[in-house]
Amino acid sequence: MSQTDFTAAAELFANKRKSFRSRVPLKYKRFDSLALAVQFAVEELGADLNGINIRTENDDVSGAAIRTLYDDTAYPLERKALRQAS
């Protein structure tokens, strides 16, 4: 996934089962960048990313692959765990 464009606009989709576990039902959300969509998925939706899909013009990632992007050394945003340690 080293060729991933984290600056590409992204759309996040959640299946109905996943959205009903949230306090606020979520089916679709648009982001200015893939990096922001990945950050939202991991930091706000939690560890269980099954049923979550993120699409850009060139990429389609879901489930555990979202976490892989978040952990990638090329990921451009500050991670929540790093912010809490500061």
Side-chain angles (χ1 to χ4, degrees):
M1 291 194 184
S2 60
Q3 298 298 327
T4 302
D5 180 5
F6 284 102
T7 64
E11 300 173 306
L12 184 143
F13 299 88
N15 71 19
K16 290 180 183 178
R17 188 170 20 144
K18 176 69 177 178
S19 64
F20 288 125
R21 286 189 231 160
S22 306
R23 283 179 278 200
V24 177
L26 173 70
K27 294 181 186 174
Y28 172 85
K29 187 169 175 92
R30 183 153 175 79
F31 294 88
D32 290 336
S33 71
L34 174 60
L36 289 171
V38 168
Q39 181 179 50
F40 177 82
V42 172
E43 295 180 6
E44 301 299 326
L45 298 179
D48 180 13
L49 296 172
N50 290 329
I52 302 297
N53 297 304
I54 299 175
R55 292 186 187 143
T56 68
E57 188 174 311
N58 298 317
D59 291 309
D60 189 3
V61 293
S62 60
I66 296 169
R67 182 61 197 217
T68 301
L69 285 177
Y70 185 78
D71 293 335
D72 192 319
T73 56
Y75 180 74
L77 301 179
E78 188 176 350
R79 292 166 183 88
K80 187 175 186 176
L82 296 177
R83 284 196 309 260
Q84 290 175 347
S86 300

